[in-house]
Amino acid sequence: MHTRRHILVSLAGAGCLAAAPTLAQTDKTLRLGAIAGGAPMAPDSPPGKILIGALADLGYAPGRNLTYTALGALADSAKLPSLIDELTKEGAQILVALGYPAAAAAKAAGVPTVIFAGAGDPVATGLVESWSHPGGVVTGISDLAAPLTVKRLELLKAFAPGLKRVAMLYNADDRAMTLRYEASAATAQTQGLLVEPLGVREPDDFNSAFAAMERDKPDAILMVADALTVLNRKRVIEFAAAHRLPAIYEVDFFARDGGLMSYGADERESLTRAASMIDRIFKGARPGDIPFEQPTKYLFVVNLRTAKALGLEPPVDLLARADEVIE
Amino acid sequence: MTLRDFLPSLYAPARSEASDRAPSTARGWRTPLAMKFAAALIGLVVLVLLVNGVINTWLAYDQIRRAALMVEEEKASSAAVRVGEFLTEIVNQLGWTTGAEWRHAQSAQQRYDFVRLLRQVPAITELSYLDGQGHEQIKVSRLGTDAIGSNKDFSQEPRFLKAVADKIWFGPVEFRSGSEPYMTIAVAHVGYDAGVSVAEVNLKLIWDVISAIHVGETGYAFVVGRDGHLIAHPDLSLVLRETDFSNLAQVKQALGAATAGEPAETMSPRVGMAEFATGYDGGRVLTAYAIAPRTRWTVFVQQPLAEALAPVYRSVWQTLALLGLGLLLALVVGGLLARRMVVPIDRLRQGAERLGAGDLSQRIDIHTGDEIETLADQFNQMAGKIRESYETLEAKVEARTKDLNESLQQQTATADVLKVISRSAFDLQAVFDTLVASAVELSGSHSGAICVRDGQIFRYRASSGPGASPELHNYLVGHPANPGRGSIVGRAVLSRQVEQIPDLRDDAEYLVPVNSKGNSARALLGVPLLGKDNVEGAIVLTRLEPGAFPNRQIEILQTFADQASIAIENVRLFDEVQARTKELAQTIENLRSAQDRLIQSEKLASLGQLTAGIAHEIKNPLNFVNNFAGVSRELLDELQELIAKAEPDEKLKEEIDELTGLIEGNLEKVVQHGKRADSIVKNMLLHSRQGSGEHRPVDLNALLEESLNLAYHGARAEKPGFNITLMKDLDPSVGEVDLYPQEFNRVLLNLISNGFYASAKRKAESGDANFEPTLAASTRNLGDRVQIKIRDNGAGIPPDVEAKIFNPFFTTKPAGEGTGLGLSLSYDIVVKQHRGEIDVATSLGEFAEFTVTIPRSGPSSQALRS
């Protein structure tokens, strides 16, 4: 009977319909742009890797639903606006920023930005309105640079008790840095230290800074990491090594690169938090509603090799403090 | 073809076929069996599934709700435990530094311990040691500067005081920079005045603990501090924003419970009841809380209601899906089953329809192997039987129809014959011809004939048929039948019954020459015509084949025989009636004329009596008048003599003469009038003379002569100068006529005297000496009538007089000469008594002629007028 056949066909058809696979749709791609004041945070750079990894943990895979473009001003802050422009023209919806100048430029451009390092006190620097409610297009995680700078001085002192003069290399164009300098200057005094600011604005300034340091040899160097300084870190490390100056840096890879020690917020944590914020912004949250965070982990890295080379023996409790010891 | 299209076809499999045949029954208010069945099945399935589903869902809901609530409470409890553990861990770690001997350790060692602690417990941002007096001796910090022996005074701070008092102190949660949650934990050292270890704890690290707590898929836990602010939440932003959850109902209630209750040493969390509430984002949630010990923080777990009750919803959906599936299945299965059942039933129905419509040749074809097949077989058997009986019936009907047709034919023929008979009702010959012809035709006989009685013999009146040759006809006509055995007619009339000769060759009594005169018949049939008393004749049919005649033909012949009898009888009756009618008419006529005559006689008698009476009565006074008048004249004469003797004077004499003249004149008049009256009376008496009232044959001419004489002499006697010429023209063949002699005489006299008068008057008036008054009287014989003419050559009769001439008392004679009764009486006598006519012909100034015509046979004959 042809009618019987029809039943079966219809039923089969209905079944097929029911079993049709539902296509999971995330038809939105996260277009992330990374803007750095210095070197761009390429996917294979240490921060880039961590960031991409953190985004992957949240479900973003480059090529699938993530496009990541990293640009860096290479210490030329003036280029930042155009770089940001470029990024947005390429389609970047969210920016992850490294350094205050980059964040500031991004803020000026009105692009949702997550700053993961170099923000310092975002309220004081004007990036945000308040910690709990940034209110603008910028949010992120602070590196608490100001108080940490003080701690760094302390650690330097713990390393070299006879420390008297500390040369502070910082980017004078970077307002956050200025704050840091001021904070550290204030603390230094209580500790009986003298902080000598050596502001650099461009690579050439390093030469003059070195020259100044040669003339007037400090007991230690505290380098404020920023784009400029990071780009020129090797020179500073070499200089410090050459002159047997204990130095403390802000970020751990300085110590790995030969710097004596570094103490700063855990970059991994910062980038993970930043990734989380990027994810939330991408899912529709406004950057202004996402509270600006402070780190909970601080990494203290000590390079014993460098210490040996310096002929310095780190104190036990200092070492005890170290989260990572490079031998 | 979609499912929707398919399903109706399931339930109305053969509908189109059925509706082609019998639309009135297939459509309409009847629901097909299939539908009923399917509806029942579906209804049942749906009902069962529905009931089941509802009950299940209800039970599941209850169960799940309970379970969910329990689970929530469990989770809350475990979350609180974990939070507690987090803090406990810190406290434990701190405990490493609170041992009795620690404060006696080296400062460097103490610092080292602290540093180690810092490293081990990431949550602690700052550690410090307050000595027994509450002064800070060691501070190790991640962010801040370390301090050794700062002696900062915390002796009044709760961290010192409370710790010392309670051993462990958990400080309130505060949000640094408005966003970072921190709290202080202080643990007192063992021993008296041993000091306190204080740790600044970054509560963000609870976040890991809390976010690790999953309730179902989307449920989570969060911690609310004693003032309702969020301490830990999977969404860190909420925490960093110092979000206040104390507005939520469940939080309020929990806070209320938290502030009351057991002291902080209890290690196990106090669990609040799970309930349905509204979460921070406004959605409905299932929530439970547990109050963490020591810190009196409230740990909430919540799960979106939808998720918590997901199993219930799922159950509902399952039920519905099952319902739907069941429905579908029921539809399909029901349809199929119904089809299986209904198709055969429908075939059965169609078969029955066909049978009902009369198509008996088809057989119902069903092979379902059940009662329906049996039924179908029964139907087929029935159809077969019906068919057989139909065929038998048809055959019977055919035979009957044939019979009926034949009968009809016969009846029609009979009817036609009857028609013919009734039309030519009294034309017996036509009837006989028709009868015989029809009988022969209907029976298909060789020949047929009819014989009718004529006295004692029976004459052949008609014959018909192929065998009715002229020779046979002539022979039969010449040899009428006699009652007897010699001929079929004879036999029939003798026995007065139907007679048959099956083969006249075998019949010895048959005398009609066989094979002679064209008689080739072998079988004969004769039916008598039975009249009222007698046999009136017979009808005969012949046939070439010998043998008995079929009953039908005998019946036909009998019918016709009856018809013939009837016809004959009719004619006879009719003739009788006719004769009787004639007699009656004649009798009536006679009676009428007798009546007239009687009346006339009466009239005349009475008139006569009257006039006689009057005459007699008047005669007397008249006599007196005449006599006295005469006497008076004589007396007058005497008077005149006397007067003359008296010698009156001239004047007197003149007067007396005048007077006597007058008296004389008067007396003259009296006498004159008296005489007139006398003559009237005499005339009246004359006319009133009664007749004898008898009528007899009388020689008319003689009577006329006599009347003429009488009248002539009478007239001369009355007026001596009377003279008239009489001319007579009498037809000798008139002979005798039956009449009333006296009355007729009177008539003649009257006419003659009138003629005399008229002629004489004309002579007198014209003064013509050459005028000869003439009266001509003639008679004529008109066969059954006779005619008398009296013609005078008087002045004629003017038209207006002519009209009134026969009126009684009408006269043109001067007073005293006629009564006016003459012509009136004459009219009556002629017309009424003698049943004749009287006419007047006249020409003014020429003549007048009266014509009297009476029947010869007189009063007894029919009236001439009719």
Side-chain angles (χ1 to χ4, degrees), chain A residues 233-234 236-238 240-241 245 247 249 251-262 302-307 309-310 326:
Chain A
R233 65 182 179 278
K234 276 269 177 350
V236 175
I237 292 168
E238 281 162 16
L245 289 169
Y249 307 90
V251 193
D252 60 333
F253 58 79
F254 277 84
R256 284 184 240 278
D257 279 350
L260 179 61
M261 7 173 215
S262 75
V302 175
N303 193 330
L304 280 179
R305 258 192 285 123
T306 316
L310 282 175
I326 299 170

PDB file of all heavy atoms in Angstrom, chain A residues 233-234 236-238 240-241 245 247 249 251-262 302-307 309-310 326:
ATOM      1  N   ARG A 233      67.078  47.388  28.028  1.00  0.00           N
ATOM      2  CA  ARG A 233      67.461  46.785  29.305  1.00  0.00           C
ATOM      3  C   ARG A 233      68.869  46.178  29.249  1.00  0.00           C
ATOM      4  O   ARG A 233      69.609  46.181  30.206  1.00  0.00           O
ATOM      5  CB  ARG A 233      66.428  45.770  29.745  1.00  0.00           C
ATOM      6  CG  ARG A 233      66.298  44.560  28.834  1.00  0.00           C
ATOM      7  CD  ARG A 233      65.209  43.639  29.351  1.00  0.00           C
ATOM      8  NE  ARG A 233      65.045  42.470  28.471  1.00  0.00           N
ATOM      9  CZ  ARG A 233      64.325  42.478  27.348  1.00  0.00           C
ATOM     10  NH1 ARG A 233      63.727  43.579  26.931  1.00  0.00           N
ATOM     11  NH2 ARG A 233      64.237  41.370  26.609  1.00  0.00           N
ATOM     12  N   LYS A 234      69.103  45.599  28.108  1.00  0.00           N
ATOM     13  CA  LYS A 234      70.396  44.912  28.000  1.00  0.00           C
ATOM     14  C   LYS A 234      71.553  45.880  28.331  1.00  0.00           C
ATOM     15  O   LYS A 234      72.487  45.531  29.040  1.00  0.00           O
ATOM     16  CB  LYS A 234      70.578  44.346  26.578  1.00  0.00           C
ATOM     17  CG  LYS A 234      69.937  42.995  26.381  1.00  0.00           C
ATOM     18  CD  LYS A 234      70.933  41.917  26.690  1.00  0.00           C
ATOM     19  CE  LYS A 234      70.474  40.472  26.620  1.00  0.00           C
ATOM     20  NZ  LYS A 234      69.250  40.014  26.487  1.00  0.00           N
ATOM     21  N   VAL A 236      71.424  48.424  30.161  1.00  0.00           N
ATOM     22  CA  VAL A 236      71.446  48.758  31.578  1.00  0.00           C
ATOM     23  C   VAL A 236      72.027  47.608  32.368  1.00  0.00           C
ATOM     24  O   VAL A 236      72.858  47.816  33.273  1.00  0.00           O
ATOM     25  CB  VAL A 236      70.014  49.076  32.068  1.00  0.00           C
ATOM     26  CG1 VAL A 236      69.992  49.305  33.552  1.00  0.00           C
ATOM     27  CG2 VAL A 236      69.450  50.266  31.321  1.00  0.00           C
ATOM     28  N   ILE A 237      71.600  46.397  31.988  1.00  0.00           N
ATOM     29  CA  ILE A 237      72.114  45.227  32.719  1.00  0.00           C
ATOM     30  C   ILE A 237      73.624  45.137  32.551  1.00  0.00           C
ATOM     31  O   ILE A 237      74.358  44.913  33.518  1.00  0.00           O
ATOM     32  CB  ILE A 237      71.417  43.944  32.229  1.00  0.00           C
ATOM     33  CG1 ILE A 237      69.926  43.940  32.629  1.00  0.00           C
ATOM     34  CG2 ILE A 237      72.109  42.706  32.792  1.00  0.00           C
ATOM     35  CD1 ILE A 237      69.107  42.884  31.971  1.00  0.00           C
ATOM     36  N   GLU A 238      74.026  45.350  31.332  1.00  0.00           N
ATOM     37  CA  GLU A 238      75.474  45.271  31.081  1.00  0.00           C
ATOM     38  C   GLU A 238      76.205  46.341  31.869  1.00  0.00           C
ATOM     39  O   GLU A 238      77.267  46.108  32.452  1.00  0.00           O
ATOM     40  CB  GLU A 238      75.737  45.424  29.588  1.00  0.00           C
ATOM     41  CG  GLU A 238      75.480  44.143  28.825  1.00  0.00           C
ATOM     42  CD  GLU A 238      75.308  44.416  27.337  1.00  0.00           C
ATOM     43  OE1 GLU A 238      75.679  45.524  26.872  1.00  0.00           O
ATOM     44  OE2 GLU A 238      74.795  43.511  26.640  1.00  0.00           O
ATOM     45  N   ALA A 240      75.197  47.716  34.546  1.00  0.00           N
ATOM     46  CA  ALA A 240      75.213  47.373  35.971  1.00  0.00           C
ATOM     47  C   ALA A 240      76.240  46.299  36.241  1.00  0.00           C
ATOM     48  O   ALA A 240      77.009  46.364  37.223  1.00  0.00           O
ATOM     49  CB  ALA A 240      73.823  46.903  36.379  1.00  0.00           C
ATOM     50  N   ALA A 241      76.277  45.317  35.327  1.00  0.00           N
ATOM     51  CA  ALA A 241      77.257  44.249  35.520  1.00  0.00           C
ATOM     52  C   ALA A 241      78.671  44.777  35.392  1.00  0.00           C
ATOM     53  O   ALA A 241      79.566  44.441  36.200  1.00  0.00           O
ATOM     54  CB  ALA A 241      76.987  43.149  34.506  1.00  0.00           C
ATOM     55  N   LEU A 245      77.147  46.997  39.800  1.00  0.00           N
ATOM     56  CA  LEU A 245      76.112  47.676  40.583  1.00  0.00           C
ATOM     57  C   LEU A 245      74.944  46.714  40.793  1.00  0.00           C
ATOM     58  O   LEU A 245      74.437  46.134  39.832  1.00  0.00           O
ATOM     59  CB  LEU A 245      75.572  48.897  39.826  1.00  0.00           C
ATOM     60  CG  LEU A 245      76.523  50.069  39.714  1.00  0.00           C
ATOM     61  CD1 LEU A 245      75.986  51.095  38.730  1.00  0.00           C
ATOM     62  CD2 LEU A 245      76.765  50.709  41.067  1.00  0.00           C
ATOM     63  N   ALA A 247      71.270  45.835  41.039  1.00  0.00           N
ATOM     64  CA  ALA A 247      70.108  46.497  40.457  1.00  0.00           C
ATOM     65  C   ALA A 247      68.854  45.661  40.730  1.00  0.00           C
ATOM     66  O   ALA A 247      68.919  44.453  40.879  1.00  0.00           O
ATOM     67  CB  ALA A 247      70.307  46.641  38.953  1.00  0.00           C
ATOM     68  N   TYR A 249      64.955  45.240  39.356  1.00  0.00           N
ATOM     69  CA  TYR A 249      64.068  45.586  38.250  1.00  0.00           C
ATOM     70  C   TYR A 249      62.645  45.280  38.659  1.00  0.00           C
ATOM     71  O   TYR A 249      62.363  44.741  39.709  1.00  0.00           O
ATOM     72  CB  TYR A 249      64.483  44.802  36.988  1.00  0.00           C
ATOM     73  CG  TYR A 249      65.917  44.958  36.650  1.00  0.00           C
ATOM     74  CD1 TYR A 249      66.872  44.068  37.173  1.00  0.00           C
ATOM     75  CD2 TYR A 249      66.360  46.020  35.847  1.00  0.00           C
ATOM     76  CE1 TYR A 249      68.206  44.232  36.863  1.00  0.00           C
ATOM     77  CE2 TYR A 249      67.705  46.162  35.552  1.00  0.00           C
ATOM     78  CZ  TYR A 249      68.614  45.274  36.064  1.00  0.00           C
ATOM     79  OH  TYR A 249      69.919  45.431  35.754  1.00  0.00           O
ATOM     80  N   VAL A 251      60.303  43.708  36.522  1.00  0.00           N
ATOM     81  CA  VAL A 251      59.666  42.527  35.936  1.00  0.00           C
ATOM     82  C   VAL A 251      60.638  41.366  35.939  1.00  0.00           C
ATOM     83  O   VAL A 251      61.852  41.579  35.838  1.00  0.00           O
ATOM     84  CB  VAL A 251      59.199  42.792  34.495  1.00  0.00           C
ATOM     85  CG1 VAL A 251      58.284  41.684  34.017  1.00  0.00           C
ATOM     86  CG2 VAL A 251      58.481  44.126  34.440  1.00  0.00           C
ATOM     87  N   ASP A 252      60.107  40.178  36.059  1.00  0.00           N
ATOM     88  CA  ASP A 252      60.952  39.004  36.281  1.00  0.00           C
ATOM     89  C   ASP A 252      61.876  38.712  35.117  1.00  0.00           C
ATOM     90  O   ASP A 252      62.979  38.192  35.320  1.00  0.00           O
ATOM     91  CB  ASP A 252      60.078  37.788  36.612  1.00  0.00           C
ATOM     92  CG  ASP A 252      59.102  37.457  35.491  1.00  0.00           C
ATOM     93  OD1 ASP A 252      58.729  38.386  34.735  1.00  0.00           O
ATOM     94  OD2 ASP A 252      58.688  36.278  35.378  1.00  0.00           O
ATOM     95  N   PHE A 253      61.531  39.050  33.913  1.00  0.00           N
ATOM     96  CA  PHE A 253      62.405  38.640  32.820  1.00  0.00           C
ATOM     97  C   PHE A 253      63.698  39.464  32.774  1.00  0.00           C
ATOM     98  O   PHE A 253      64.653  39.098  32.133  1.00  0.00           O
ATOM     99  CB  PHE A 253      61.695  38.619  31.449  1.00  0.00           C
ATOM    100  CG  PHE A 253      61.089  39.918  30.999  1.00  0.00           C
ATOM    101  CD1 PHE A 253      61.867  40.938  30.452  1.00  0.00           C
ATOM    102  CD2 PHE A 253      59.737  40.105  31.096  1.00  0.00           C
ATOM    103  CE1 PHE A 253      61.300  42.111  30.014  1.00  0.00           C
ATOM    104  CE2 PHE A 253      59.160  41.281  30.649  1.00  0.00           C
ATOM    105  CZ  PHE A 253      59.933  42.298  30.105  1.00  0.00           C
ATOM    106  N   PHE A 254      63.635  40.579  33.487  1.00  0.00           N
ATOM    107  CA  PHE A 254      64.910  41.291  33.663  1.00  0.00           C
ATOM    108  C   PHE A 254      65.896  40.417  34.398  1.00  0.00           C
ATOM    109  O   PHE A 254      67.060  40.308  34.014  1.00  0.00           O
ATOM    110  CB  PHE A 254      64.675  42.581  34.455  1.00  0.00           C
ATOM    111  CG  PHE A 254      64.204  43.714  33.578  1.00  0.00           C
ATOM    112  CD1 PHE A 254      62.857  43.842  33.257  1.00  0.00           C
ATOM    113  CD2 PHE A 254      65.127  44.634  33.085  1.00  0.00           C
ATOM    114  CE1 PHE A 254      62.463  44.899  32.445  1.00  0.00           C
ATOM    115  CE2 PHE A 254      64.710  45.691  32.279  1.00  0.00           C
ATOM    116  CZ  PHE A 254      63.371  45.827  31.957  1.00  0.00           C
ATOM    117  N   ALA A 255      65.390  39.821  35.469  1.00  0.00           N
ATOM    118  CA  ALA A 255      66.286  38.990  36.278  1.00  0.00           C
ATOM    119  C   ALA A 255      66.752  37.803  35.459  1.00  0.00           C
ATOM    120  O   ALA A 255      67.901  37.389  35.547  1.00  0.00           O
ATOM    121  CB  ALA A 255      65.555  38.527  37.529  1.00  0.00           C
ATOM    122  N   ARG A 256      65.930  37.300  34.666  1.00  0.00           N
ATOM    123  CA  ARG A 256      66.313  36.148  33.848  1.00  0.00           C
ATOM    124  C   ARG A 256      67.329  36.564  32.806  1.00  0.00           C
ATOM    125  O   ARG A 256      68.225  35.813  32.443  1.00  0.00           O
ATOM    126  CB  ARG A 256      65.087  35.551  33.140  1.00  0.00           C
ATOM    127  CG  ARG A 256      64.231  34.741  34.058  1.00  0.00           C
ATOM    128  CD  ARG A 256      63.084  34.097  33.244  1.00  0.00           C
ATOM    129  NE  ARG A 256      61.809  34.554  33.749  1.00  0.00           N
ATOM    130  CZ  ARG A 256      61.225  34.016  34.815  1.00  0.00           C
ATOM    131  NH1 ARG A 256      61.776  33.026  35.465  1.00  0.00           N
ATOM    132  NH2 ARG A 256      60.088  34.501  35.237  1.00  0.00           N
ATOM    133  N   ASP A 257      67.204  37.775  32.374  1.00  0.00           N
ATOM    134  CA  ASP A 257      68.139  38.277  31.356  1.00  0.00           C
ATOM    135  C   ASP A 257      69.484  38.678  31.952  1.00  0.00           C
ATOM    136  O   ASP A 257      70.361  39.153  31.248  1.00  0.00           O
ATOM    137  CB  ASP A 257      67.502  39.479  30.623  1.00  0.00           C
ATOM    138  CG  ASP A 257      66.536  39.018  29.544  1.00  0.00           C
ATOM    139  OD1 ASP A 257      66.508  37.801  29.246  1.00  0.00           O
ATOM    140  OD2 ASP A 257      65.788  39.868  29.006  1.00  0.00           O
ATOM    141  N   GLY A 258      69.606  38.554  33.212  1.00  0.00           N
ATOM    142  CA  GLY A 258      70.908  38.868  33.809  1.00  0.00           C
ATOM    143  C   GLY A 258      70.842  39.919  34.890  1.00  0.00           C
ATOM    144  O   GLY A 258      71.863  40.211  35.547  1.00  0.00           O
ATOM    145  N   GLY A 259      69.644  40.401  35.054  1.00  0.00           N
ATOM    146  CA  GLY A 259      69.545  41.369  36.135  1.00  0.00           C
ATOM    147  C   GLY A 259      69.656  40.654  37.468  1.00  0.00           C
ATOM    148  O   GLY A 259      69.454  39.453  37.565  1.00  0.00           O
ATOM    149  N   LEU A 260      70.029  41.433  38.477  1.00  0.00           N
ATOM    150  CA  LEU A 260      70.275  40.824  39.771  1.00  0.00           C
ATOM    151  C   LEU A 260      68.982  40.287  40.390  1.00  0.00           C
ATOM    152  O   LEU A 260      68.893  39.128  40.756  1.00  0.00           O
ATOM    153  CB  LEU A 260      70.967  41.831  40.707  1.00  0.00           C
ATOM    154  CG  LEU A 260      71.263  41.313  42.121  1.00  0.00           C
ATOM    155  CD1 LEU A 260      72.220  40.101  42.055  1.00  0.00           C
ATOM    156  CD2 LEU A 260      71.898  42.418  42.988  1.00  0.00           C
ATOM    157  N   MET A 261      67.986  41.178  40.522  1.00  0.00           N
ATOM    158  CA  MET A 261      66.719  40.733  41.104  1.00  0.00           C
ATOM    159  C   MET A 261      65.566  41.536  40.489  1.00  0.00           C
ATOM    160  O   MET A 261      65.785  42.621  39.950  1.00  0.00           O
ATOM    161  CB  MET A 261      66.649  40.892  42.621  1.00  0.00           C
ATOM    162  CG  MET A 261      67.768  41.600  43.302  1.00  0.00           C
ATOM    163  SD  MET A 261      67.431  41.864  45.017  1.00  0.00           S
ATOM    164  CE  MET A 261      68.224  43.430  45.240  1.00  0.00           C
ATOM    165  N   SER A 262      64.479  40.994  40.660  1.00  0.00           N
ATOM    166  CA  SER A 262      63.266  41.715  40.230  1.00  0.00           C
ATOM    167  C   SER A 262      62.149  41.418  41.209  1.00  0.00           C
ATOM    168  O   SER A 262      62.054  40.324  41.751  1.00  0.00           O
ATOM    169  CB  SER A 262      62.833  41.264  38.831  1.00  0.00           C
ATOM    170  OG  SER A 262      62.231  39.983  38.899  1.00  0.00           O
ATOM    171  N   VAL A 302      65.461  36.265  42.114  1.00  0.00           N
ATOM    172  CA  VAL A 302      66.888  36.595  42.401  1.00  0.00           C
ATOM    173  C   VAL A 302      67.761  35.770  41.484  1.00  0.00           C
ATOM    174  O   VAL A 302      67.574  34.563  41.364  1.00  0.00           O
ATOM    175  CB  VAL A 302      67.256  36.275  43.866  1.00  0.00           C
ATOM    176  CG1 VAL A 302      68.750  36.497  44.093  1.00  0.00           C
ATOM    177  CG2 VAL A 302      66.429  37.133  44.805  1.00  0.00           C
ATOM    178  N   ASN A 303      68.697  36.433  40.813  1.00  0.00           N
ATOM    179  CA  ASN A 303      69.622  35.762  39.907  1.00  0.00           C
ATOM    180  C   ASN A 303      70.928  35.558  40.625  1.00  0.00           C
ATOM    181  O   ASN A 303      71.735  36.492  40.779  1.00  0.00           O
ATOM    182  CB  ASN A 303      69.784  36.590  38.633  1.00  0.00           C
ATOM    183  CG  ASN A 303      70.468  35.787  37.538  1.00  0.00           C
ATOM    184  OD1 ASN A 303      71.284  34.886  37.824  1.00  0.00           O
ATOM    185  ND2 ASN A 303      70.156  36.107  36.297  1.00  0.00           N
ATOM    186  N   LEU A 304      71.149  34.356  41.088  1.00  0.00           N
ATOM    187  CA  LEU A 304      72.354  34.091  41.894  1.00  0.00           C
ATOM    188  C   LEU A 304      73.607  34.200  41.048  1.00  0.00           C
ATOM    189  O   LEU A 304      74.670  34.568  41.537  1.00  0.00           O
ATOM    190  CB  LEU A 304      72.244  32.698  42.516  1.00  0.00           C
ATOM    191  CG  LEU A 304      71.361  32.620  43.765  1.00  0.00           C
ATOM    192  CD1 LEU A 304      71.291  31.190  44.279  1.00  0.00           C
ATOM    193  CD2 LEU A 304      71.898  33.523  44.865  1.00  0.00           C
ATOM    194  N   ARG A 305      73.486  33.891  39.839  1.00  0.00           N
ATOM    195  CA  ARG A 305      74.658  33.988  38.964  1.00  0.00           C
ATOM    196  C   ARG A 305      75.155  35.403  38.926  1.00  0.00           C
ATOM    197  O   ARG A 305      76.363  35.682  39.075  1.00  0.00           O
ATOM    198  CB  ARG A 305      74.276  33.510  37.554  1.00  0.00           C
ATOM    199  CG  ARG A 305      74.755  32.110  37.291  1.00  0.00           C
ATOM    200  CD  ARG A 305      74.651  31.720  35.816  1.00  0.00           C
ATOM    201  NE  ARG A 305      73.275  31.452  35.454  1.00  0.00           N
ATOM    202  CZ  ARG A 305      72.656  32.109  34.465  1.00  0.00           C
ATOM    203  NH1 ARG A 305      73.256  33.003  33.745  1.00  0.00           N
ATOM    204  NH2 ARG A 305      71.409  31.838  34.214  1.00  0.00           N
ATOM    205  N   THR A 306      74.151  36.275  38.703  1.00  0.00           N
ATOM    206  CA  THR A 306      74.531  37.693  38.681  1.00  0.00           C
ATOM    207  C   THR A 306      75.092  38.116  40.033  1.00  0.00           C
ATOM    208  O   THR A 306      76.074  38.870  40.117  1.00  0.00           O
ATOM    209  CB  THR A 306      73.297  38.561  38.351  1.00  0.00           C
ATOM    210  OG1 THR A 306      72.576  37.943  37.286  1.00  0.00           O
ATOM    211  CG2 THR A 306      73.675  39.952  37.982  1.00  0.00           C
ATOM    212  N   ALA A 307      74.456  37.530  41.059  1.00  0.00           N
ATOM    213  CA  ALA A 307      74.952  37.904  42.396  1.00  0.00           C
ATOM    214  C   ALA A 307      76.406  37.462  42.559  1.00  0.00           C
ATOM    215  O   ALA A 307      77.258  38.206  43.084  1.00  0.00           O
ATOM    216  CB  ALA A 307      74.060  37.239  43.437  1.00  0.00           C
ATOM    217  N   ALA A 309      78.464  36.955  40.229  1.00  0.00           N
ATOM    218  CA  ALA A 309      79.310  37.804  39.368  1.00  0.00           C
ATOM    219  C   ALA A 309      79.573  39.141  40.049  1.00  0.00           C
ATOM    220  O   ALA A 309      80.642  39.736  39.922  1.00  0.00           O
ATOM    221  CB  ALA A 309      78.625  38.002  38.017  1.00  0.00           C
ATOM    222  N   LEU A 310      78.584  39.597  40.727  1.00  0.00           N
ATOM    223  CA  LEU A 310      78.774  40.864  41.439  1.00  0.00           C
ATOM    224  C   LEU A 310      79.622  40.665  42.671  1.00  0.00           C
ATOM    225  O   LEU A 310      80.061  41.639  43.318  1.00  0.00           O
ATOM    226  CB  LEU A 310      77.412  41.445  41.869  1.00  0.00           C
ATOM    227  CG  LEU A 310      76.601  42.146  40.779  1.00  0.00           C
ATOM    228  CD1 LEU A 310      75.241  42.556  41.308  1.00  0.00           C
ATOM    229  CD2 LEU A 310      77.347  43.370  40.253  1.00  0.00           C
ATOM    230  N   ILE A 326      67.429  32.099  40.349  1.00  0.00           N
ATOM    231  CA  ILE A 326      68.044  31.668  39.099  1.00  0.00           C
ATOM    232  C   ILE A 326      69.517  31.329  39.363  1.00  0.00           C
ATOM    233  O   ILE A 326      70.260  32.167  39.893  1.00  0.00           O
ATOM    234  CB  ILE A 326      67.934  32.758  38.022  1.00  0.00           C
ATOM    235  CG1 ILE A 326      66.438  33.044  37.736  1.00  0.00           C
ATOM    236  CG2 ILE A 326      68.645  32.331  36.733  1.00  0.00           C
ATOM    237  CD1 ILE A 326      66.219  34.246  36.878  1.00  0.00           C
TER     238      ILE A 326
END
